[in-house]
Amino acid sequence: MLVLITYDVNTSDSAGKKRLRHVAKQCVNYGIRVQNSVFECELDPAKCRMLKQKLKEEIDAEKDSLRFYYLGDRKKAKIEHIGAKETIKVDEPLLF
């Protein structure tokens, strides 16, 4: 299923900047960045639970936030892109 993950990490101190890097790194490992703090991740339920747990361990719930949007398997009917920076399709082969 396609999961859209967004996050907002308070970076007013060095600990927040470190948390931001760690959250972004975890998301990069599982998906594709489509905006600064937005990732599209193609995940099965087990990987989704694992990633969610890893991200919850990285953030400070008093200062930061995570949002998960579960778009399911019919994602092509639910995504519309307008403008520059067209993203790659996460479920198709990537050719260089």
Side-chain angles (χ1 to χ4, degrees), residues 3-4 7 20 24 26 30 34 41 62 69 88-89 94:
V3 180
L4 190 70
Y7 55 86
L20 177 65
Q26 285 299 329
Y30 288 88
V34 293
C41 303
E62 298 292 319
Y69 298 89
I88 61 172
K89 307 293 186 248
L94 179 62

Side-chain angles (χ1 to χ4, degrees), residues 1-5 39-43 48 68-71:
M1 79 179 135
L2 182 67
V3 180
L4 190 70
I5 301 173
F39 284 81
E40 291 178 354
C41 303
E42 185 71 35
L43 304 168
C48 187
F68 297 83
Y69 298 89
Y70 304 98
L71 300 180

